[in-house]
């Protein structure tokens, strides 16, 4: 029995045929499952002979009509789609950089029965920052939807557990880069990483950063943000 057939059978048992009735003339769940598998197949990046990195964050875009029909079952469908995708990844020796997340969004340009899948590889991010450090910070680095504070003297970013900001990205070295904050000047330095550091798309060993600077380590993109305080004279 194929993975897609097992997916259909599990889903049919869980919702007692509801999908068969609701989606008779619209998007079929098995079509979404097949599209998600194609998405990871088409975006797999070779890590080694036996391991390939694939996206783990997925946005399924649907028409207004299909999204309304899906709404009562979206959590069940997302759970089953995730399980099916994990089975496919295990069979293909794929590696997810973080937890698999699937959500459903409306796309005004799509008609009933049509859908589109968008994906991204989003590594799991772990920080040791306390609430106090977050509250007093004026510089932050946004990574995969999470805002992480940078306080003096700075922080080390890498894949290793000993870093201040740990990013589970196989393209990132154990200690990849150091953000250094002196006064109000923020810089970043490559710590001899394997894949280097890109600043606004350009490779650099070290560079001064500004509000809006984009730093890329491995497969992860982060954006530097500065928050103004009362001493700046503006909000």
């Amino acid at each position: 029995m194929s993975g897609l057939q097992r997916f259909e059978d599990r889903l049919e048992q869980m919702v007692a045929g509801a999908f068969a009735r609701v989606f008779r003339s619209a998007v079929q769940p098995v079509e979404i499952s097949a599209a998600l598998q194609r998405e990871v197949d088409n975006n797999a990046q070779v890590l080694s002979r036996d391991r390939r990195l694939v996206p783990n964050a997925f946005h399924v875009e649907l028409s207004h009509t299909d999204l309304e029909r899906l709404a009562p079952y979206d959590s069940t469908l997302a759970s089953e789609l995730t399980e099916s995708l994990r089975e496919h990844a295990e069979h293909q020796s794929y590696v997810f950089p973080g937890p698999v997340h699937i959500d459903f969004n409306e796309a005004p340009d799509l008609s009933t029965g049509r859908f589109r899948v968008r994906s991204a590889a989003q590594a799991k991010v772990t920080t040791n920052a306390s609430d106090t450090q977050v509250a007093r910070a004026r510089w932050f680095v946004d990574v995969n939807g999470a805002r992480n504070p940078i306080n003096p003297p700075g922080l080390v970013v890498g894949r290793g557990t000993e870093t201040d900001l740990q990013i589970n990205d196989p393209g990132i070295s154990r200690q990849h880069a150091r953000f250094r904050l002196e006064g109000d000047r923020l810089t970043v330095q490559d710590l001899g990483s394997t894949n280097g550091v890109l600043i606004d798309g350009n490779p650099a060993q070290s560079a001064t950063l500004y509000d809006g600077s984009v730093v890329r380590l491995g497969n992860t993109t982060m954006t530097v943000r500065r928050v103004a305080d009362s001493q700046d004279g503006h909000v």
Side-chain angles (χ1 to χ4, degrees), residues 11-85:
L11 197 61
E12 185 72 15
Q13 293 170 10
M14 291 187 69
V15 299
F19 275 113
R21 295 190 297 273
V22 173
F23 284 84
R24 185 174 292 113
S25 61
V27 172
Q28 300 296 318
V30 69
E31 295 175 341
I32 299 176
S33 184
L36 289 169
Q37 292 185 16
R38 288 195 300 271
E39 185 71 11
V40 297
D41 290 342
N42 293 337
N43 289 281
Q45 301 179 43
V46 176
L47 296 177
S48 65
R49 187 179 65 178
D50 301 320
R51 298 168 71 243
R52 286 176 287 177
L53 179 73
V54 294
N56 61 314
F58 303 90
H59 301 280
V60 180
E61 299 180 348
L62 303 143
S63 69
H64 176 75
T65 300
D66 285 329
L67 192 62
E68 278 195 330
R69 292 174 177 174
L70 170 65
Y73 318 102
D74 58 358
S75 60
T76 299
L77 180 56
S79 177
E80 286 301 312
L81 288 169
T82 298
E83 180 62 26
S84 180
L85 200 56

Side-chain angles (χ1 to χ4, degrees), residues 131-205:
D131 291 341
T132 300
Q133 289 174 315
V134 173
R136 72 171 185 239
R138 291 295 173 263
W139 287 93
F140 295 84
V141 58
D142 292 347
V143 188
N144 295 344
R147 177 157 287 192
N148 304 276
I150 306 175
N151 288 298
L155 55 81
V156 173
V157 180
R159 188 166 41 83
T161 57
E162 71 280 6
T163 55
D164 303 301
L165 183 62
Q166 182 185 9
I167 303 177
N168 185 32
D169 179 338
I172 292 179
S173 299
R174 292 189 61 82
Q175 292 193 19
H176 197 110
R178 175 180 285 110
F179 288 81
R180 185 182 298 277
L181 183 58
E182 298 175 310
D184 199 43
R185 181 172 181 262
L186 180 65
T187 60
V188 64
Q189 178 186 3
D190 186 350
L191 296 178
S193 65
T194 300
N195 295 316
V197 175
L198 294 180
I199 310 297
D200 296 325
N202 301 308
Q205 287 296 315

